Amino acid sequence: MRNRQLQRYGLFLVLAMALAVLSACGQGSSGPSAPDSSSSPAPAAGSSGQGASGDANETITYRAANGEVQIPKHPKRVVELANSYVGHLLTLGIKPVGVKQQAADNPYFKGKLDGVDNLGDGQSIEKILQLQPDLIIVLSIVEPAVLEKLSKIAPTVAIEYGKLPVREQLLEFGRMTGNEDKAKAWIERWDRKIADYRPKVKAAVGDGTVSILQPYAKGIYAFGHSFARGGEIVYGEFQLKAPPIIQKEAIDSGKGYASLSLEQLPDYAGDYVFTSPWTGDTADPEVTYGSAVWKNLPAVKNGRVFTIDRQGSLFNDPVSLEEQLEFIVGKLTGANGS
């Protein structure tokens, strides 16, 4: 028994050394030059394999971005370090045991994460160990050394953000966790909502263009169809028009966003604009909002600028999309300004 305790203590010391490098789990962004995706800012490559028995220890072989991983067939204690997939888990009836600060700050999760440990920036090995997870979820951009350390705690699945649209990503999580039926049920409900709202929104907007803009320290970000902020709904579900330059640089390119200067803003601003300050720095958004360039935009003059939630807009999971949907539909059909 004493030898076993010493072995466990030795493993804890090895894992604790990972604390200094675990900062790579801190953001869902690929680097300082890219907007945060929650993280902007979703996706594993697929799943396969069969469990050997029906007991609690049954596992499956899951093909993730980091290769084949043996994971519990029905995980019970999931630590979500990617931020982007907390809402997927909640939709499938799985409350994670630990999430990062960014997910905890999402107003759309209010009341849904009661009792869930807030792991802050996700860098504390001790906190993750204490939660005794049976599955850890990270983004594929995590440092290999960090991924290795996490994998010693529990099976760790890395997901490539933005590879799969929301329906496919939710189905993937359903297959991963043994909840495919719940995933399909949500998709059916979502499809009915979109089918009801789409003609109303398109009738209200007509041939008008829509932009999603966020000022940041070095300029302004314009978002497309796959980088949260409501783009999946505006351009994906409702198929509304983006200004040509956004269509080219943020959508057709597959990048999901474009960066522009204040002087370029008139080319990127649509007839309708959704906006909020970016969360990735402490720049003063009034540099943009208080400028003559901004104030002279047709959307501003016509009262067609709508302020999206700064924290909630970072997410494109099912829970967040449902909230964003109601907001977007209400603004575009009512056009009552911000």
Side-chain angles (χ1 to χ4, degrees):
M1 177 64 72
R2 179 174 177 80
N3 287 339
R4 183 176 301 174
Q5 292 174 334
L6 289 173
Q7 289 174 350
R8 289 178 176 175
Y9 181 70
L11 177 59
F12 177 83
L13 290 179
V14 171
L15 291 171
M17 293 173 64
L19 182 60
V21 294
L22 197 56
S23 58
C25 288
Q27 293 292 333
S29 158
S30 59
S33 61
D36 54 0
S37 58
S38 175
S39 14
S40 46
S47 58
S48 66
Q50 299 292 328
S53 68
D55 62 25
N57 296 321
E58 188 173 358
T59 64
I60 62 171
T61 301
Y62 184 78
R63 291 198 306 273
N66 55 320
E68 292 189 346
V69 184
Q70 288 294 124
I71 67 173
K73 188 172 183 180
H74 298 286
K76 303 297 183 184
R77 299 186 60 81
V78 183
V79 167
E80 208 281 17
L81 297 177
N83 286 322
S84 301
Y85 309 111
V86 173
H88 292 75
L89 295 173
L90 292 173
T91 299
L92 297 177
I94 300 172
K95 180 184 283 190
V97 295
V99 301
K100 289 165 61 177
Q101 184 68 53
Q102 191 177 72
D105 288 341
N106 184 350
Y108 304 143
F109 296 157
K110 185 176 181 180
K112 300 179 186 298
L113 294 178
D114 293 346
V116 175
D117 273 59
N118 184 338
L119 297 172
D121 59 9
Q123 296 183 35
S124 174
I125 286 289
E126 290 94 336
K127 287 183 179 180
I128 297 172
L129 278 168
Q130 289 169 6
L131 291 178
Q132 299 181 330
D134 57 9
L135 179 65
I136 300 173
I137 296 170
V138 299
L139 290 175
S140 60
I141 60 172
V142 68
E143 292 288 342
V146 174
L147 184 62
E148 181 180 357
K149 302 304 181 183
L150 292 173
S151 297
K152 291 180 179 179
I153 299 175
T156 301
V157 169
I159 299 177
E160 182 184 347
Y161 178 82
K163 182 177 179 181
L164 298 178
V166 63
R167 292 171 179 79
E168 293 179 37
Q169 186 61 70
L170 185 62
L171 283 171
E172 196 61 34
F173 268 97
R175 288 188 283 268
M176 185 195 307
T177 63
N179 289 287
E180 197 168 359
D181 288 347
K182 291 181 180 178
K184 291 179 179 178
W186 182 87
I187 291 170
E188 290 177 0
R189 293 193 301 271
W190 178 255
D191 286 344
R192 287 196 295 269
K193 286 185 179 180
I194 296 301
D196 178 48
Y197 283 144
R198 184 188 290 124
K200 299 173 184 176
V201 170
K202 292 182 77 71
V205 176
D207 290 330
T209 57
V210 184
S211 298
I212 303 170
L213 305 171
Q214 286 191 315
Y216 75 112
K218 297 181 180 179
I220 302 166
Y221 284 125
F223 292 95
H225 65 305
S226 61
F227 223 83
R229 284 84 178 175
E232 287 82 1
I233 296 170
V234 169
Y235 302 126
E237 303 294 358
F238 292 155
Q239 299 177 347
L240 300 177
K241 293 181 181 179
I245 195 165
I246 294 180
Q247 181 69 40
K248 177 182 178 182
E249 295 183 359
I251 299 176
D252 293 344
S253 69
K255 189 177 181 181
Y257 69 94
S259 180
L260 58 136
S261 67
L262 181 61
E263 291 73 23
Q264 294 173 302
L265 182 56
D267 292 331
Y268 287 80
D271 300 305
Y272 300 81
V273 173
F274 289 91
T275 188
S276 71
W278 187 50
T279 60
D281 57 45
T282 57
D284 183 2
E286 286 305 311
V287 172
T288 295
Y289 296 145
S291 69
V293 176
W294 178 270
K295 292 178 179 179
N296 284 320
L297 295 175
V300 175
K301 291 183 175 181
N302 294 328
R304 292 176 173 175
V305 175
F306 314 118
T307 302
I308 57 179
D309 187 273
R310 188 173 185 175
Q311 296 295 332
S313 69
L314 297 175
F315 293 80
N316 54 7
D317 60 86
V319 174
S320 300
L321 286 177
E322 287 182 351
E323 296 289 341
Q324 292 169 14
L325 177 66
E326 299 303 321
F327 178 82
I328 290 169
V329 170
K331 293 303 181 183
L332 291 180
T333 57
N336 292 323
S338 59

